[in-house]
């Protein structure tokens, strides 16, 4: 990055998008999404995408940039995010990074340099076939045997990332593939973190899942299927979509689907805290309560006064 920026991070359902919007309006800013799922078109309710009204008030970048059957990756995100930051700054406006995909956030803030290994369609088809025949666990075991360090950085259930790691491993030089090259977060960058006591956060997550279902999440998933998008696509592994697919197919009740989505989201929150640790001194933490959000807003104004 050429110059510092303001970042708003933390687990899901803490109000990052609303705070980013509030600060963007105050600071004459534009928002760059660091959410790996909001990049997909037609997946609005289930990804808690900014509303059309909010997007008309403040430009939002890296939202709706790929169809659900298209490829989206960390490398693509970094290329698009860096270009978005350049354009925003060229316009003399303030870029605000907001999102809960920890890998994307830190890759941008720490300027990760990734291995330059292009996608290999033949290899991907072969590994996808292996998954269908033997399951994702077999693929993860293969990666662990080849490169335990790389395997240790990946959730075994994230088959897409396991396939990519094997792809990189196959074309890389012998020996373990280390973590990406990184730089310190640029001096002057402000990182505001939103958090909440765990029980209260789970309650907020559960209420949001209920609201999403009432708002038409089921119809959104049905529309994706009607457009011909397969439920086996990586994009459809987003929280809740496959549970709703099973409900639409008659394999589970809506109550069971909702309960499973809530449990998966609770687990996802715990994973997000692995990226955004309360002990990380680079992050200024605020409670996601009315008073805490007001304090976070004041900190954003103080750190980055209106140009």
């Amino acid at each position: 990055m050429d110059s510092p920026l303001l970042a708003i991070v933390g687990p899901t359902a803490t109000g990052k998008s609303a705070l980013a919007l509030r600060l963007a309006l105050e600071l004459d800013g534009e928002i760059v999404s660091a959410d790996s799922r909001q990049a997909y078109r037609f997946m609005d309710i289930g990804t808690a995408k900014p509303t059309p009204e909010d997007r008309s008030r403040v430009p939002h970048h890296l939202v709706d940039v790929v169809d659900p059957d298209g490829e989206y990756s960390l490398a693509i995100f970094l290329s698009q995010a860096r270009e978005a930051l350049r354009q925003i700054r060229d316009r003399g406006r303030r870029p605000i990074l907001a999102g809960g995909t920890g890998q994307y956030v830190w890759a941008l803030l720490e300027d990760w340099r990734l291995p330059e290994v292009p996608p290999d369609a033949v290899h991907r088809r072969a590994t996808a076939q292996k998954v269908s025949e033997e399951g994702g666990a077999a693929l993860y075991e293969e990666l662990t045997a080849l490169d335990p360090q790389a395997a240790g950085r990946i959730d075994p259930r994230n088959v897409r990332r396991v396939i990519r790691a094997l792809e990189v491993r196959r074309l890389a030089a012998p020996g373990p593939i280390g973590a990406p090259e990184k730089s310190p977060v640029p001096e002057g960058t402000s990182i505001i973190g939103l958090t909440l006591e765990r029980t209260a956060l789970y309650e907020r997550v559960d209420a949001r899942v209920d609201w999403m279902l009432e708002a038409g999440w089921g119809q959104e998933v049905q529309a994706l299927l009607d457009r011909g998008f397969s439920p086996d696509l990586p994009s459809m592994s987003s929280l809740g979509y496959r549970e709703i697919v099973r409900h639409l197919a008659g394999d589970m009740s809506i109550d069971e689907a909702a309960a499973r989505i809530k449990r998966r989201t609770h687990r996802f929150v715990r994973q997000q805290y692995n990226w955004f640790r309360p002990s990380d001194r680079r992050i200024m933490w605020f409670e996601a309560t009315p008073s805490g959000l007001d304090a976070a807003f004041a900190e954003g104004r103080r750190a980055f006064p209106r140009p």
Side-chain angles (χ1 to χ4, degrees):
M1 292 183 301
D2 295 331
S3 61
L5 77 157
L6 174 62
I8 302 171
V9 305
T12 191
T14 49
K16 296 183 296 296
S17 296
L19 178 61
L21 180 70
R22 187 179 172 191
L23 281 167
L25 290 168
E26 174 69 19
L27 302 176
D28 192 28
E30 300 184 21
I31 296 170
V32 178
S33 169
D35 187 302
S36 63
R37 298 312 183 182
Q38 291 183 358
Y40 293 108
R41 300 184 185 98
F42 317 123
M43 303 176 70
D44 301 338
I45 297 172
T47 64
K49 202 172 284 180
T51 66
E53 292 78 12
D54 289 344
R55 292 165 68 180
S56 69
R57 299 174 70 195
V58 169
H60 286 67
H61 301 265
L62 277 61
V63 174
D64 288 344
V65 295
V66 63
D67 283 346
D69 58 355
E71 180 183 0
Y72 204 72
S73 65
L74 175 60
I76 294 171
F77 164 79
L78 284 175
S79 175
Q80 293 181 343
R82 287 163 178 160
E83 177 61 17
L85 293 179
R86 184 192 67 77
Q87 293 182 6
I88 294 167
R89 288 168 173 144
D90 284 351
R91 288 192 288 272
R93 307 196 74 191
R94 171 74 65 192
I96 299 173
L97 182 70
T101 302
Q103 185 189 46
Y104 283 21
V105 168
W106 292 118
L108 186 63
L109 294 180
E110 297 175 333
D111 193 25
W112 291 10
R113 273 81 73 196
L114 305 178
E116 294 186 6
V117 178
D120 184 331
V122 174
H123 177 259
R124 290 190 177 188
R125 283 195 294 270
T127 50
Q129 181 65 28
K130 182 171 183 175
V131 170
S132 66
E133 294 173 354
E134 304 177 30
L139 207 65
Y140 187 76
E141 290 174 4
E142 180 182 345
L143 177 62
T144 301
L146 288 171
D147 193 338
Q149 291 184 18
R153 296 193 295 269
I154 297 175
D155 184 336
R157 296 165 296 190
N158 192 331
V159 176
R160 181 174 57 84
R161 286 195 63 201
V162 173
I163 290 175
R164 176 58 179 166
L166 282 169
E167 188 174 74
V168 172
R169 171 70 278 166
R170 190 174 64 87
L171 297 177
I177 301 174
E181 294 182 44
K182 305 175 183 180
S183 299
V185 174
E187 185 178 353
T189 299
S190 281
I191 309 175
I192 291 175
L194 300 181
T195 187
L196 200 62
E197 185 274 326
R198 197 65 58 91
T199 300
L201 182 54
Y202 288 166
E203 291 174 353
R204 189 176 292 186
V205 162
D206 294 350
R208 188 165 77 165
V209 170
D210 290 337
W211 178 87
M212 288 174 168
L213 291 169
E214 293 172 2
W217 196 359
Q219 292 91 321
E220 176 172 286
V221 175
Q222 184 63 62
L224 288 165
L225 299 176
D226 292 344
R227 287 176 181 266
F229 296 116
S230 168
D232 295 324
L233 288 168
S235 60
M236 294 287 273
S237 68
S238 302
L239 286 170
Y241 281 84
R242 287 184 175 159
E243 286 82 358
I244 294 178
V245 167
R246 292 189 61 189
H247 163 65
L248 294 173
D251 293 339
M252 66 173 64
S253 69
I254 190 61
D255 289 341
E256 184 180 0
R260 292 192 180 199
I261 294 169
K262 291 171 184 178
R263 287 197 298 272
R264 281 189 64 198
T265 310
H266 294 177
R267 185 167 61 242
F268 178 60
V269 164
R270 295 193 293 272
Q271 293 169 351
Q272 286 178 299
Y273 276 114
N274 291 330
W275 287 102
F276 307 120
R277 296 183 180 276
S279 59
D280 191 334
R281 304 182 77 173
R282 297 172 297 180
I283 304 174
M284 292 173 288
W285 286 103
F286 297 88
E287 290 289 308
T289 60
S291 60
L293 291 169
D294 284 344
F297 175 73
E299 173 57 30
R301 290 182 59 191
R302 184 202 64 78
F304 293 94
R306 188 182 179 91

